[in-house]
Amino acid sequence: MHLSRFPRVTLCHAPTPLEHLPRLSRHLGGPEIFIKRDDCTGLASGGNKTRKLEFLLGDALEKGATHLVTQGATQSNHVRQTAAAAAKFGLRCTALLETRVADAAPEYYANGNVLLDRLFDCALETRPAGLDMNQELVAVGERLSAAGETPYLIPGGGSNAIGALGYVACAQELLMQANERRLRIDHVVHATGSCGTQAGLLAGLLGMNSGIPVLGIGVRAPREKQEANVHALLKQTWEHLGLPGEPARETVRANCDYVGDGYGIPTPGMIEAVEILARLEGILLDPVYSGKGMAGLIDLIRRGEFKQGQNLVFVHTGGSAGLFGYRGTFAP
Ligand SMILES: *Cc1c(COP(=O)(O)O)cnc(C)c1O
C-alpha cells in the first residue's frame, strides 16, 4: 500500500506512542493491555480525525478549496480538529452542529469542543436532530458556491475512502512498532462511530496480511447496521487503494452492547472506565467514544472474552476536550 500516491498534508505528530498499561492490566487480571496514543496526534489537543484530515486536506488543497464545510454532534471532536486544520492552512471553515443530545447541561452546548471551535473562528450553525446531515452539508456548499467560494465538503467524522487512508497509515505504523519491539498483537480494540477508523485499520491490517483482528465498540448504531456501514466503507477504501479482490464481511466485527441510552449519553461503565484510566494510568479518555470503547474492553475482559497471555492494543482515539462538556457527570 503505497500511500505516497495520494495527496496529503502533514498535521499529525507521528508515530504516536504505543504504550504498555501495566497497572490497568494487573487491575483487570487478564491480557496485557497496550494503548496506541492517537489522543496525541498533536493538532488542537489531538484525536483520530487528525490522521483522516491529512488526506482530506491534501485533496481539498489540490482541488483549490477555500472553505471547508463539515458536520457533527454538538461536542464533535471531528469539527474541532477540522476547524484547527482549516486555520493552519488559511481556509475558512463552517460546521453544522446537530443537537443530537437534548437537555444536556449548559456546558455541553458551550464548553469543551464548542469553545475550541469558536477559538478557531469556525462558523457554527446548529441543526435539530434527525435531519439528513449530509444533505444539509450539500445545501451549505451550494450557498457558499453562489457566494463565490470553493467549498470542500467533509462528511461527518471525515469518514469516506479518502479520510480512511489516515487509518491505513496508522495500521502500517502500528505493525512497524509491534515488529520493532517483538510484540505479538492478538487483537486491536477501539471505539467506532462514523466507521472511518475501523475501515482504515482493517484495510491496512488485512491488506498487509497481518492476521490481527479488529473489534469496534459501537457508540450509536446497533451491531448489524454498524458492521454493514464499516464493511461498505472498507470495500470503498480497499478499491481506492487498488487492492485486489474484496474483504469478506466476516472481517468486520463490532460490539454495540455498550451504547447505553444513546449517543453521547453517559453510562455507569463509561464513567468507571474514564475514572480507572485516569487513576491507574494518568490517561484521559472521553465520555462519548473512548470511554465507552474502554468500558466495552473492560467488560469483555471481565467476562473472559480476552485472556491472560494475550496482547491487546486499545487505539485511543482522543476526545478528552469533550470532558469539559460533561462536568456534572464526573464532578456532580
Ligand atoms: C470520531 C471519534 C471516534 C470514532 O471514529 P470513527 O472513525 O468516526 O468511527 C472515536 N473516538 C473519538 C474520540 C472520536 O472523536
Side-chain angles (χ1 to χ4, degrees):
M1 280 159 290
H2 188 192
L3 295 179
S4 315
R5 288 177 302 157
F6 300 99
R8 183 178 185 178
V9 302
T10 300
L11 292 169
C12 184
H13 295 184
T16 59
L18 175 64
E19 297 173 344
H20 185 211
L21 299 180
R23 280 167 48 79
L24 179 69
S25 303
R26 233 177 300 138
H27 176 77
L28 295 170
E32 291 305 316
I33 305 168
F34 296 78
I35 192 163
K36 176 68 171 156
R37 296 293 304 272
D38 272 18
D39 57 322
C40 300
T41 49
L43 179 72
S45 88
N48 61 342
K49 306 311 180 307
T50 299
R51 289 193 188 269
K52 302 177 185 182
L53 286 162
E54 288 200 338
F55 291 94
L56 291 163
L57 266 284
D59 189 49
L61 294 176
E62 195 179 78
K63 292 182 168 139
T66 60
H67 200 133
L68 303 183
V69 188
T70 196
Q71 56 100 352
T74 307
Q75 280 294 334
S76 170
N77 301 300
H78 163 69
V79 166
R80 181 239 316 152
Q81 288 162 87
T82 303
K88 186 174 164 71
F89 284 90
L91 304 174
R92 292 157 58 80
C93 188
T94 294
L96 309 182
L97 300 184
E98 182 189 6
T99 312
R100 215 181 278 168
V101 179
D103 307 321
E107 289 99 333
Y108 181 82
Y109 303 103
N111 205 342
N113 284 298
V114 180
L115 169 76
L116 300 182
D117 297 342
R118 294 193 191 286
L119 197 55
F120 294 123
D121 199 24
C122 180
L124 298 178
E125 299 180 21
T126 56
R127 292 289 185 276
L131 295 178
D132 179 340
M133 287 298 285
N134 284 322
Q135 205 174 304
E136 294 296 307
L137 272 193
V138 171
V140 172
E142 283 166 1
R143 197 181 76 203
L144 293 171
S145 296
E149 299 229 41
T150 307
Y152 184 83
L153 309 189
I154 298 178
S159 286
N160 57 21
I162 297 172
L165 295 178
Y167 272 84
V168 175
C170 180
Q172 293 182 329
E173 190 180 298
L174 178 62
L175 205 58
M176 199 163 74
Q177 286 173 316
N179 288 338
E180 266 169 14
R181 67 177 78 171
R182 319 282 194 264
L183 173 69
R184 185 197 72 241
I185 299 174
D186 295 301
H187 228 107
V188 167
V189 180
H190 67 93
T192 179
S194 68
C195 306
T197 302
Q198 191 168 7
L201 282 174
L202 279 170
L205 291 173
L206 292 168
M208 292 184 292
N209 202 24
S210 70
I212 301 173
V214 178
L215 176 65
I217 307 286
V219 299
R220 189 180 187 191
R223 182 174 63 82
E224 271 305 313
K225 186 176 176 205
Q226 187 67 20
E227 289 186 347
N229 289 345
V230 172
H231 189 230
L233 184 53
L234 170 58
K235 287 191 289 186
Q236 289 168 25
T237 308
W238 196 263
E239 195 181 315
H240 193 50
L241 284 164
L243 292 169
E246 195 178 278
R249 172 67 179 76
E250 305 80 68
T251 59
V252 178
R253 285 189 49 236
N255 181 326
C256 299
D257 295 343
Y258 303 94
V259 177
D261 287 340
Y263 174 89
I265 301 175
T267 61
M270 178 280 286
I271 296 169
E272 185 202 11
V274 170
E275 289 180 349
I276 286 187
L277 266 286
R279 291 167 192 181
L280 292 180
E281 299 286 357
I283 286 176
L284 296 173
L285 297 176
D286 84 285
V288 181
Y289 296 94
S290 55
K292 285 185 179 173
M294 181 56 81
L297 177 58
I298 289 171
D299 187 63
L300 292 170
I301 290 171
R302 286 179 177 152
R303 289 167 181 273
E305 299 271 335
F306 296 115
K307 297 191 177 59
Q308 239 169 25
Q310 287 187 304
N311 298 319
L312 306 187
V313 173
F314 180 78
V315 180
H316 188 341
T317 42
S320 64
L323 287 168
F324 301 101
Y326 284 79
R327 184 173 61 91
T329 302
F330 298 99

